Amino acid sequence: MYYYHYPNPPHTQPPVYPSNQYYQPMHRQYPQVDPNVFKKSIKTYRLLMDQGSLLLDRLGDPGFDVKLMTAAQQGNNSEVDRLIKSIGLKVPVKTIYTPTGVTFELKAHTDPHAPPNCCTLRVELQWGS
């Protein structure tokens, strides 16, 4: 079987980036921006930041950190949850821990006027190597 080498392809391909003389950008009409949802998210996130600050203050208390780490090391989930609830945060907190660290997920309350899954604050701390 013989193959013929052609210096140019049999069909010319259009350039990847068309030149300006042929290219005319599409003009799209975008809806007017509505910053209300964004403003609500910012307000909600400020609440999460305040609650995260309370969480960090309590975690820094002498004795509390040892209790939390001991309960986590023993795999005592109910005690870990009880300790976190004893802080008195106004938002739900999900605690995930491993031998090397802990993650706290603070989620905003579901407000009927806020977008779904508006805001989540993740606090990741290392407590081992």
Side-chain angles (χ1 to χ4, degrees), residues 15-122:
V16 176
Y17 298 104
S19 65
N20 286 340
Q21 63 183 345
Y22 299 112
Y23 178 69
Q24 301 215 352
M26 292 177 44
H27 295 286
R28 297 182 182 179
Q29 293 292 330
Y30 293 104
Q32 194 71 5
V33 295
D34 181 13
N36 290 329
V37 172
F38 191 52
K39 288 179 181 178
K40 288 177 185 176
S41 294
I42 292 170
K43 184 178 179 182
T44 303
Y45 207 80
R46 286 186 193 274
L47 169 70
L48 289 178
M49 295 283 287
D50 292 340
Q51 294 297 295
S53 182
L54 291 174
L55 172 69
L56 291 175
D57 289 344
R58 184 69 172 119
L59 290 174
D61 285 349
F64 187 85
D65 54 355
V66 174
K67 290 178 189 177
L68 181 69
M69 291 177 71
T70 302
Q73 186 178 30
Q74 295 171 355
N76 190 347
N77 295 338
S78 60
E79 179 64 11
V80 170
D81 290 340
R82 187 194 68 75
L83 287 168
I84 297 303
K85 286 181 183 176
S86 73
I87 297 172
L89 299 176
K90 298 176 184 175
V91 296
V93 180
K94 179 180 176 185
T95 307
I96 304 163
Y97 51 87
T98 65
T100 58
V102 62
T103 301
F104 300 99
E105 285 186 4
L106 288 76
K107 295 196 176 253
H109 287 295
T110 53
D111 179 10
H113 302 292
N117 300 326
C118 165
C119 309
T120 301
L121 174 65
R122 287 180 63 108

